[in-house]
Amino acid sequence: MTSSTLFTDAMALTSSGNGVYRGELNEHWTIGPKVHGGAMLALCANAARTEFGEADVEPIAVSGNFLWAPDPGAMDVVTTVRKRGRRVSLVDVELNQGERTALRASITLGTPEHHVPPLLSVNPVIPLMTPEPPPGLEPIGPGHSMADIVHLAHGCDIRPSLTTFSRRADQGMPVIEYWVRPRGVAPDVLFALLCGDVSAPVTFGVNRFGWAPTVQLTAFLRARPADGWLRVMCTATQIGQDWFDEDHIVVDCEGRIIVQTRQLAMVPTR
């Protein structure tokens, strides 16, 4: 039987009692052979939200430490509610596969921004990226150079702009642009969190290819996304010899900042 490619199915959880949930991330939610970090973080956020059990509460800040890269398959998500507050609450989460913990996360729960203009916003995406992908921008799929690695394309329509991938360090930091939306369903807050880790490593811009494992990732959910394409801009501040940072800004089709992320990762070896 073919595994489901729907994002909503990937986020499905079954309660085992005592704050423990069973989920499964199949081969469609992987980068290469390993489960995608953003999908893991979104699953943890969903478990925290589910265990908390109050309407209109979302994971407004998610901080995850990646301990091990699991294979596709069943996972146990263990939640512990640390605080139930009037506006801000906190849930600790562990994502386990077998006897090993793959991810430890701290999920801050609250109400995202309402659909009103911000007091002040500096949004670098709007001047550079149109609400929909430009005509002719090729989606990742059969024949695409990234198709054998980015298996997320089975469940998402992902359209990367490769025009700034090959910048040298002396020409400025790479800026990588993506248009992304899930197949068959509207984007939600969990999918927006996944998009905060959707880009190829910015190290591609300095000719460092290969696996760039994320060590720590922090995401802020600013608002719930509108139904349509999500625009993702990825850049960095410094690519060192051993470590690099990578930032994502996720903007919906209405031009609102939905998710911001920053991660620390390891530079691939030559």
Side-chain angles (χ1 to χ4, degrees), residues 11 13 21 42-59 79 84 91 93 107 109 188-190 221 224:
M11 293 296 104
L13 294 167
Y21 296 86
L43 193 66
C44 288
N46 192 31
R49 183 178 66 177
T50 302
E51 178 66 16
F52 193 73
E54 291 189 14
D56 298 324
V57 170
E58 301 286 5
T79 66
R84 286 184 178 270
V91 180
V93 181
I107 315 293
L109 297 166
D188 61 7
V189 298
L190 299 175
L221 174 73
R224 297 179 176 95

Side-chain angles (χ1 to χ4, degrees), residues 201 203 212-216 242-246 263-268:
T203 54
T214 299
V215 175
Q216 203 279 344
D242 298 308
W243 304 93
F244 71 98
D245 59 85
E246 186 168 288
Q263 63 180 280
L264 178 69
M266 296 181 182
V267 176

Side-chain angles (χ1 to χ4, degrees), residues 146-221:
M146 301 171 74
D148 291 338
I149 300 295
V150 184
H151 303 134
L152 299 180
H154 292 110
C156 319
D157 190 338
I158 306 177
R159 306 198 183 196
S161 174
L162 307 180
T163 55
T164 59
F165 256 36
S166 58
R167 282 189 175 181
R168 299 197 318 270
D170 60 355
Q171 294 177 318
M173 192 62 68
V175 178
I176 307 172
E177 300 171 355
Y178 283 78
W179 283 259
V180 190
R181 64 181 178 185
R183 299 186 188 276
V185 295
D188 61 7
V189 298
L190 299 175
F191 185 78
L193 287 171
L194 177 146
C195 287
D197 188 35
V198 77
S199 177
V202 292
T203 54
F204 282 22
V206 292
N207 297 318
R208 288 292 187 94
F209 303 98
W211 190 41
T214 299
V215 175
Q216 203 279 344
L217 189 152
T218 296
F220 299 144
L221 174 73

Side-chain angles (χ1 to χ4, degrees), residues 237-258:
T237 301
Q238 178 170 292
I239 301 172
Q241 295 292 335
D242 298 308
W243 304 93
F244 71 98
D245 59 85
E246 186 168 288
D247 296 337
H248 287 59
I249 298 178
V250 182
V251 172
D252 72 0
C253 59
E254 296 181 356
R256 297 177 303 143
I257 295 175
I258 302 301

Side-chain angles (χ1 to χ4, degrees), residues 79-150:
T79 66
T80 303
V81 178
R82 297 296 185 187
K83 174 187 176 182
R84 286 184 178 270
R86 287 179 295 177
R87 295 191 64 183
V88 178
S89 301
L90 181 67
V91 180
D92 286 340
V93 181
E94 286 190 359
L95 187 149
N96 302 323
Q97 189 174 69
E99 299 299 318
R100 301 181 68 181
T101 299
L103 171 63
R104 293 190 67 182
S106 179
I107 315 293
T108 304
L109 297 166
T111 303
E113 294 281 354
H114 297 287
H115 203 291
V116 294
L119 298 175
L120 177 66
S121 179
V122 179
N123 187 338
V125 174
I126 298 301
L128 299 177
M129 300 180 69
T130 55
E132 296 189 356
L137 189 63
E138 183 183 5
I140 296 177
H144 194 281
S145 61
M146 301 171 74
D148 291 338
I149 300 295
V150 184

